Amino acid sequence: MESPLRIAIIGQSNFAAEVLELLLEKNYNIAGVFTIPNKGTREDILAATAKQHSIPVFKFASWRRKGEVLPEVLQQYKSVQANLNVLPYCSQFIPMEVIDAANLGSICYHPSILPRHRGASAISWTLIEGDEVAGFSIFWADYGLDTGPLLLQKQCIVEPTDTLDILYKRFLYPEGVKSMAQAVNMVAEGKAPKIPQAEVGASYDAAMFKEQNHYIDFKKTAEDIWNFVRGLDSVPGALAVVLHEDGSEEKIRFFGAHLYADGPVIGPKRLTLKGLKNPAYIHDRGLLLQGTDGKFVNIRRLKRGSKMINACDWFTKCQQSQISNFSKDELDKRDVLINIWHSILKCPIEAETDFFAAGAGSMDVVRLVEECKDALDMTLDSGQVFMAPVFEEFFCEIIRSLRQESSAVQGRIHYDGFVLQANKREISVPTQLFINGEFMDAEQRKTLDIINPSNEELLCKVACASRSDVDKAVQAAHQAFYGAWRQVSARQRGNLMLKLADLMEEYKEELATIESIDSGAVYTLALKTHIGMSIDAWRYFAGWCDKIQGNTIPVSPGRPNKVLTFTKKEPIGVVGLVTPWNYPLMMLSWKMAACIAAGNACLIKPAQTCPLTALKFAELTVKAGFPPGVINVVPGTGTEAGQAISDHELVRKLGFTGSTSIGKIVMRSCADSNLKKCSLELGGKSPLVIFADCDFEKAVKYGVCSVFFNKGENCIAAGRLFVEDRIYDEFVRRVLRDVRSMTIGDPLNRSTAHGPQNHRAHFEKLIEFCRRGIKEGAKLVYGGRPVPNTKGYFFQPTIFTDVEDHMFIAQEESFGPIMIISKFHGSDVESVMRRANRTEYGLASGVFTRDISKALMFADNIEAGTVFVNVYNKTDVAAPFGGFKQSGFGKDLGQEALNEYLKTKCVTIEY
């Protein structure tokens, strides 16, 4: 049966529109809707909703003049013949002639527990006064200000995290809409009470739309200041005045307040506020204000004029220059933006037009971001809209972003460096530390000499990080991890990594050239492996970013309750990486790509002898758009910079590749400092067993490659070959033939197969290694000394035969182009496996045989993290890589590598 009610809805906003929709669902007769006029061509959503349902709509700028009702307005109102007025949200003063014209009366929504907080700013005052309970009232309108009889009231607890916006969205809005419909039901059923309001406890609070009421009274406790700020948190913001050093004053507004109890602030900057006894402090998490009780309030966001900024960025933003010299192309983009704004807001766009004040909502923000991306081909996110909601500010932010992107694309990133002229190229190479998105000198301008291993000449000087420099990098990573990087979604993170990989591809020849000159890698190998596999790593782990997930776990609850248990995978935080000199960029990428994919921020100390590709890589991260501080590069010595990373208490994970002896020191430092997680990829003495039943040609080919690949500077190089006696002599003869034909020389020459060793200390270590092998009785059949009459660290490929198990060269790693060959009898397969395992290392291993049983037996029994069967050096970014025993623990590459940079959190919920 249709209700006898004829309802007039008087109000505006989404709240009123939802009340309308709910009443229509309940089949009430809405006789007419009365709302405010259009703003330009944009009409209030209540009017738009009513039109969709063919309900008469009336728009009045004013209902009365000089206190008297406007006759034409009253006539139009009476034309709908309403017998109940519903005022869900109404900002206009409605004359009593209209209120009383409906014979069943007029019901109003008010956001407070009346009689407390009568007036227009009730929600604000609920918070300002520190009320423990909030709520709303629906009352019968009378001649007083919110004094009419009560129909119904509902309330909720005020939470410490509540702001004006949160309280409204959490309770006042959703429950208010439902309660307005409930109130109409009660009227329709004749069950609506009229409970007189008591005057006891009534308050008439000041209207907070007047600016003089917005100023913070600093002569109050921290809690009072906090309550005042959160009471004005949405609109208009609590007001304060900054006193600048030049005597000028500037109004600012505060948002996002909380009581601060997070310990002392390190290195704060002072800000003087009018009326505040002690200075305010800008720190990395906001702005601190001290109340009269000595306690602090922290402010997260500030509004200067029309622009919202993070409070911690106050001094940075103050120093940021304003844009005034626009190019014609930039002014054309301004017209494009005007058209986009106009299409969304449906009103004239002026320089001072505020996107949100003009009525835009969250979906409008999404639309603005997407239309700007399409029209201007740029990177943009919703945060930029919220931080610059006024058109002129937004336009300037867009132009600033476009200029920065353009500068990055054109390579205009400022740094001191040198121009490398090699490989028919001129390559600009940075030589400074890279911290917080900028290149900078080391403390006291300390430097490292970088020597070209091909000619032993000084290539350049690179900044050498001190403990203080490392601390700067850690602090930058820490702030990025808890700041900008946390705002980047997993999918956005993956897109950044893909963009970086594309840039590495674009600069592939430059990176390979730098790698060849700096580390001695043969150019063709550097191009394919050093750089090629680095790019593969970034692309592979980019794909994992939005696929890192936990599990739900069935557990046994205590009946009758149920339990939901699930795990979350979370980034660890700040990660320190220390990488070796044999594959400078590849080792960086193997570790850092997994680290970044997991969501961490990091700093890396590349090898002190060859840090140049790491620094060129740092330049590319800026071009790719990584936020400052996410990736930091600090060349330096292991004893100072490396040790500082191991010792730092803000570093929560250390990834290290290097020697076993240094790995033990690193592990002790990780334990002693803050028990940081560590993964270690250390030394190797990988056995390669070649049975007589192998594919002989393939075994020779891979046997040579297993030792001499990358001039032996290869962590998984076959440190010792065991060759079955039946093919031993022929194998040695064939290997000698291949080694004698190997081209040694300039690593940039495309025909070169074997370049110089990385640095002098290692070069001399290889000479001593060979001397010791000869002294112990091993047979040197080829090499064992520097290439004669050649400048540079060129060492001859070397072959030792008749090597016995007890010899030093059979047990220890040379990390150079030295082949160690031992013989075994094919009748005792178990014996050769025991000999292969008779080492403290367990990084890699290999076997050549056509007998699948032998191959699988070898794979079962060998104590090594990687097993190659009928192949060697076949690594892939999807396959996990890491060792056993004193070759370390933890994995690079593959899905397992992500676990090195993640922590698992278990959540259990009983219900």
Side-chain angles (χ1 to χ4, degrees), residues 421-427 509 512-513 517 523 748 750:
Q421 295 182 325
N423 209 14
K424 299 179 181 179
R425 296 174 179 275
E426 289 189 354
I427 305 169
E509 288 79 9
T513 302
I517 297 295
Y523 176 75
L748 291 176
R750 304 309 191 260

Side-chain angles (χ1 to χ4, degrees), residues 514-536:
I514 297 170
E515 195 99 324
S516 293
I517 297 295
D518 195 22
S519 75
V522 171
Y523 176 75
T524 51
L525 179 63
L527 204 60
K528 178 181 182 293
T529 302
H530 288 233
I531 313 305
M533 200 170 182
S534 298
I535 296 167
D536 288 346

Side-chain angles (χ1 to χ4, degrees), residues 266-302:
I266 300 172
K269 297 180 181 179
R270 297 187 173 200
L271 193 68
T272 304
L273 299 179
K274 195 172 185 178
L276 183 63
K277 181 180 178 182
N278 297 315
Y281 297 103
I282 299 288
H283 65 124
D284 61 356
R285 293 182 296 281
L287 168 70
L288 286 178
L289 309 169
Q290 189 172 23
T292 54
D293 56 353
K295 297 180 180 179
F296 288 91
V297 179
N298 191 55
I299 308 296
R300 294 191 184 93
R301 297 181 303 281
L302 305 174

Side-chain angles (χ1 to χ4, degrees), residues 209-273:
F209 51 77
K210 297 179 180 179
E211 186 176 287
Q212 64 263 33
N213 296 330
H214 301 168
Y215 287 92
I216 300 173
D217 181 0
F218 289 115
K219 294 182 176 66
K220 290 199 172 185
T221 66
E223 185 169 351
D224 289 337
I225 294 171
W226 165 59
N227 281 327
F228 189 82
V229 174
R230 68 179 182 145
L232 278 70
D233 193 271
S234 177
V235 176
L239 196 55
V241 177
V242 177
L243 300 177
H244 292 294
E245 291 182 359
D246 62 3
S248 63
E249 297 184 355
E250 179 183 3
K251 294 178 182 178
I252 58 172
R253 294 186 181 275
F254 293 162
F255 301 87
H258 64 90
L259 292 175
Y260 183 84
D262 199 15
V265 175
I266 300 172
K269 297 180 181 179
R270 297 187 173 200
L271 193 68
T272 304
L273 299 179

